[in-house]
Amino acid sequence: MPKGKQLKVVVIGGGAAGLFAAIIAGQAGAAVTILERNQRVGKKILATGNGRCNLTNTDLQLSHYHGQNPRFAVKALQAFDNNQAIEFFEGLGIAHKVEEEGKVFPFSNQASSVLDVLRYEVERLGIEVVLEAEVKGLRRLDKGFEVLTKDGKEYFAHRVILATGGKAAPNLGSTGSGYALAESLGHRLVEPFPALVQLKLAEPFLKQIKGIKFEGLAEIIVKDKSLAQAQGELLFTEYGISGPPIFQLSRAAAEKLKSKQEVCVKVSMLHTWTKDKLAHYLQKRWQDQPEKSVHFSFVGFINKQLTPVVLKQAGIEDMHKLVAELTSREKEAILNILQDWRFQITGTNTWTAAQVTAGGIDVRDIHPATMESKLVAGLFFAGEVMDIDGDCGGYNLQWAWSSAHLAGKNAAAD
């Protein structure tokens, strides 16, 4: 590039990673244009953290990240960590607070405030934002790139940052459109699948127990081996099971389902009780009121809507028989259901319900210290478009900030 000529950077995608990369490149002196396919930028930011925007997490360990090569994320996370993210947003006016499990939120409790300050900084830096600009082609030129939009417009860029997101939440603009652009320039794709999503179950009785919530422990089981577990509020739905623990476990389940393995979820409704303590408690409950029916004996202990299903699963056909008539075998079966209830997983919920994408552009073809393509000089990547995804709790937004920081900084470098 001739000396003295301002470097032109085009950022494809105006989500969290795209806005952040554009700001970093703009602060470094580049002339930046954001091409966003939606009618406004940052739509997905507004949905994060249940509308509160979980900015990052105080526990920034690599174990919270996934992909075929999660270690790829190390350099980006070290170059711009959670403390730097907090400091950056504080500098833009976002006071923060730390909640349970290290989750960091804006003090305002509004995701809109995060988007507001990012948009303000974009405007302050004079970054051009082109809305309803759906990119359909990306061509390498001798001295840069030609970016083509669906409406026939062409944009020249010395450097391009691909920040198009994944396929999760297509209603917010994530359609996986960036994959084809990267593949057209030789990049490989790790097949994407929904993560941080509800699980579908095979059982026919789900309509009977839909809407029931309880604090419990969930575990993903493959060939009688536990792959992962998480505890918290669980929710039965018409199609399966949901709740924060299920979101955390969904990736492990989906990965095994992809390889055609049989996957179960083990639900422990009384995981804080030992089996002996539970057996003793139930035995006393039944002995104190032997004239009650088995069904009525659970009133006040577990959800009434759940009782008939639990008893049927325990093999008790007549739930109106007296507790005095329960056999030792039937009592043991009830105990097992309450602490080790297993459901076959048939799949995950759809992309529309997913919070994040697992899979994406293969990171083997990207430099971890710069986010630049190893195949195409001047092409950079930021955020969810790559094969890196994080757990619930601010980890995915931290990846957006960290990867975008490297991409923006290096794309703007001479």
Side-chain angles (χ1 to χ4, degrees), residues 158-170:
H158 295 105
R159 312 269 168 78
V160 167
I161 300 174
L162 198 60
T164 49
K167 295 182 77 173

Side-chain angles (χ1 to χ4, degrees), residues 147-260:
V147 186
L148 308 170
T149 57
K150 190 179 180 180
D151 58 6
K153 291 181 181 172
E154 298 177 4
Y155 297 84
F156 171 78
H158 295 105
R159 312 269 168 78
V160 167
I161 300 174
L162 198 60
T164 49
K167 295 182 77 173
N171 52 313
L172 300 176
S174 301
T175 62
S177 58
Y179 301 147
L181 297 175
E183 286 179 302
S184 73
L185 294 174
H187 277 268
R188 294 172 284 184
L189 181 69
V190 176
E191 186 188 348
F193 59 93
L196 300 188
V197 68
Q198 305 92 339
L199 295 175
K200 291 182 177 179
L201 305 178
E203 272 60 42
F205 52 76
L206 291 168
K207 283 186 181 179
Q208 285 177 256
I209 59 175
K210 69 175 182 179
I212 293 176
K213 289 180 182 178
F214 57 94
E215 287 290 319
L217 178 73
E219 211 168 333
I220 300 300
I221 307 285
V222 175
K223 296 177 182 173
D224 284 325
K225 183 183 175 186
S226 174
L227 294 187
Q229 64 177 37
Q231 64 184 59
E233 188 178 75
L234 299 169
L235 168 69
F236 284 119
T237 68
E238 196 167 329
Y239 53 80
I241 193 165
S242 183
I246 298 301
F247 277 74
Q248 294 285 39
L249 300 175
S250 60
R251 191 194 203 282
E255 206 161 26
K256 293 300 178 185
L257 288 169
K258 252 181 73 183
S259 58
K260 308 296 181 191

Side-chain angles (χ1 to χ4, degrees), residues 312-368:
K312 192 169 183 182
Q313 288 297 293
I316 298 166
E317 295 299 328
D318 180 11
M319 63 181 183
H320 296 294
K321 73 178 182 179
L322 301 181
V323 293
E325 297 170 355
L326 279 173
T327 66
S328 297
R329 196 170 174 179
E330 287 172 332
K331 291 174 183 176
E332 181 73 14
I334 291 169
L335 284 173
N336 286 335
I337 291 293
L338 293 175
Q339 291 196 313
D340 187 351
W341 197 359
R342 300 197 182 195
F343 303 83
Q344 186 181 347
I345 301 170
T346 57
T348 66
N349 216 336
T350 63
W351 283 112
T352 304
Q355 290 184 11
V356 74
T357 305
I361 300 303
D362 196 326
V363 297
R364 287 179 296 176
D365 298 326
I366 302 168
H367 290 288

Side-chain angles (χ1 to χ4, degrees), residues 70-88:
R71 286 205 62 79
F72 171 83
V74 170
K75 288 188 177 178
L77 294 171
Q78 286 177 342
F80 191 81
D81 64 16
N82 47 3
N83 293 317
Q84 287 163 291
I86 290 169
E87 189 180 334
F88 180 91

Side-chain angles (χ1 to χ4, degrees), residues 19 23 34 117-127 129:
L19 289 170
I23 287 168
I34 298 171
V117 298
L118 288 173
R119 289 177 65 188
Y120 179 88
E121 188 65 3
V122 163
E123 196 174 324
R124 188 186 72 80
L125 291 166
I127 293 168
V129 178

Side-chain angles (χ1 to χ4, degrees), residues 86-107:
I86 290 169
E87 189 180 334
F88 180 91
F89 282 101
E90 286 274 358
L92 294 185
I94 300 294
H96 78 284
K97 59 180 176 176
V98 181
E99 296 189 4
E100 81 284 348
E101 298 175 330
K103 296 173 184 174
V104 179
F105 291 94
F107 209 79

